[in-house]
Amino acid sequence: MFNLILFGPPGSGKGTQSERLIEKYGLIHLSTGNLLREEIQNQTTLGLAAKRYMDQGQLVPDEVVIGMIRSALDSNPKAKGFLFDGFPRTVAQADALDTLLKEKNTEIAAVLALTVSEKELIERLLNRGKTSGRTDDTNESIIQARIAEYENKTAAVARYYETFGKVIRVHGEGSIDDIFDLLCKEIDLKKVA
Ligand code: ADP
């Protein structure tokens, strides 16, 4: 299996690039944001509990998202590999993911970290809010809260994977095509390695 993490702050382009990467490399897309929004749409108990955190720009508790990822991994036993998007977002989630993958005799090949300036992130998210229907994208103070969660809890995930030499930083500003090409170049180097 070939597993990747697409990492970066909210608005860094993970969702956009994920769509293209899964297509090109035949990976299964696991976006905890999308999975949580599906739960909300279906008005499940999990979704209703998660919504309270999401609407405030806070992270959903670790055990909730870890459980979702565990069942997604179990329900795709024939996958060639997974692309994790928006997960792991805490060091506890990263630890849990390593354990889950080890049980399946596999691991993370690389963490592709998109770098984008804070000013650009806020602009992109407010813009997305005009059309996405996502309530967490329409209010600047909620966007600030999400960026703060990223800095306080999620940035440490990159440092965690750095100790294993797995992080590759990719400049996330420019055209979608150019960023995609940069990502593919890095992935192809990993695939032959
Ligand atoms: P973005 O990257 O634009 O913030 P996501 O769709 O990845 O968007 O996430 C939206 C919200 O869902 C987050 O602000 C958070 O509340 C929740 N969420 C998503 N993934 C996780 C996760 N791995 N751990 C905790 N909360 C999460």
Side-chain angles (χ1 to χ4, degrees):
M1 279 214 272
F2 184 69
N3 307 300
L4 297 170
I5 294 173
L6 192 56
F7 186 82
S12 56
K14 301 184 296 288
T16 307
Q17 297 296 338
S18 291
E19 302 279 327
R20 298 179 168 216
L21 292 171
I22 53 163
E23 172 111 353
K24 171 156 177 169
Y25 294 100
L27 304 174
I28 299 221
H29 187 195
L30 292 185
S31 156
T32 41
N34 290 350
L35 292 170
L36 289 166
R37 280 185 290 275
E38 268 168 40
E39 297 280 345
I40 293 174
Q41 197 122 35
N42 297 331
Q43 300 191 332
T44 64
T45 317
L46 189 159
L48 294 175
K51 188 175 187 315
R52 286 187 295 142
Y53 296 93
M54 294 168 76
D55 282 349
Q56 299 196 49
Q58 292 170 356
L59 293 184
V60 171
D62 287 334
E63 52 289 5
V64 174
V65 283
I66 292 167
M68 277 189 342
I69 289 289
R70 181 185 296 117
S71 55
L73 292 178
D74 286 343
S75 46
N76 287 288
K78 297 209 170 104
K80 274 173 45 183
F82 295 94
L83 175 67
F84 297 94
D85 159 10
F87 179 90
R89 256 172 153 101
T90 63
V91 172
Q93 292 178 20
D95 251 332
L97 178 62
D98 279 356
T99 306
L100 288 172
L101 293 177
K102 217 171 265 166
E103 284 166 10
K104 303 195 183 297
N105 293 315
T106 184
E107 61 176 2
I108 293 295
V111 178
L112 298 154
L114 291 168
T115 58
V116 176
S117 75
E118 184 166 329
K119 182 169 168 286
E120 167 104 10
L121 293 176
I122 294 171
E123 267 175 35
R124 286 186 190 178
L125 291 168
L126 285 171
N127 244 327
R128 184 169 79 184
K130 290 179 192 155
T131 53
S132 67
R134 277 180 57 172
T135 45
D136 60 344
D137 282 345
T138 46
N139 176 321
E140 189 159 343
S141 69
I142 293 172
I143 291 176
Q144 292 287 5
R146 285 155 65 198
I147 294 175
E149 285 281 77
Y150 174 81
E151 279 161 6
N152 295 333
K153 297 176 184 163
T154 307
V157 172
R159 295 193 286 276
Y160 169 90
Y161 286 109
E162 250 156 19
T163 63
F164 304 103
K166 291 192 174 174
V167 179
I168 303 166
R169 285 180 207 278
V170 173
H171 188 56
E173 296 184 39
S175 79
I176 291 174
D177 285 344
D178 286 348
I179 298 163
F180 181 65
D181 288 344
L182 288 174
L183 289 167
C184 292
K185 226 175 267 165
E186 297 294 349
I187 294 170
D188 294 339
L189 285 172
K190 278 282 159 189
K191 286 202 89 138
V192 289

